[in-house]
Amino acid sequence: MLETAFLATAAALVVLAIVVLYRAVKGPTMQDRVVAVNVLGTNTVVILALLAVAMDTEAFLDIALVYALLNFLMAIAISKFTVKRGDVI
């Protein structure tokens, strides 16, 4: 029963990620795109964690951890790039 709730929540987050992907592609400003990409990364980590709990697979947690670290590094790199260009967020 609880596994079904975790899977339903993961499915809802996938739908939300698709909506946020639209903002990442069509965002009118650089700030919109950066925030959308960060939300996508965070959603992916949460989805992987929910799948790990629902399927009782620890490998998904390892992947989620690595993805969270990569998402953090990507946010730092984008922020540094936009500051160098003069578009301070």
Side-chain angles (χ1 to χ4, degrees):
M1 177 68 182
L2 200 55
E3 292 86 14
T4 305
F6 287 137
L7 290 175
T9 305
L13 286 174
V14 167
V15 172
L16 178 66
I18 292 171
V19 173
V20 172
L21 183 63
Y22 174 77
R23 177 56 64 189
V25 172
K26 293 285 186 177
T29 65
M30 181 71 170
Q31 292 86 3
D32 290 334
R33 290 186 176 124
V34 169
V35 170
V37 169
N38 279 331
V39 169
L40 279 173
T42 304
N43 266 355
T44 303
V45 170
V46 172
I47 289 168
L48 286 172
L50 287 171
L51 288 177
V53 172
M55 296 179 175
D56 198 23
T57 307
E58 294 179 5
F60 283 137
L61 288 177
D62 295 335
I63 295 170
L65 182 62
V66 170
Y67 196 82
L69 290 172
L70 289 175
N71 191 33
F72 174 72
L73 290 175
M74 185 242 359
I76 297 294
I78 289 175
S79 298
K80 188 152 180 98
F81 175 73
T82 54
V83 168
K84 276 189 176 180
R85 282 185 36 202
D87 297 336
V88 178
I89 295 178

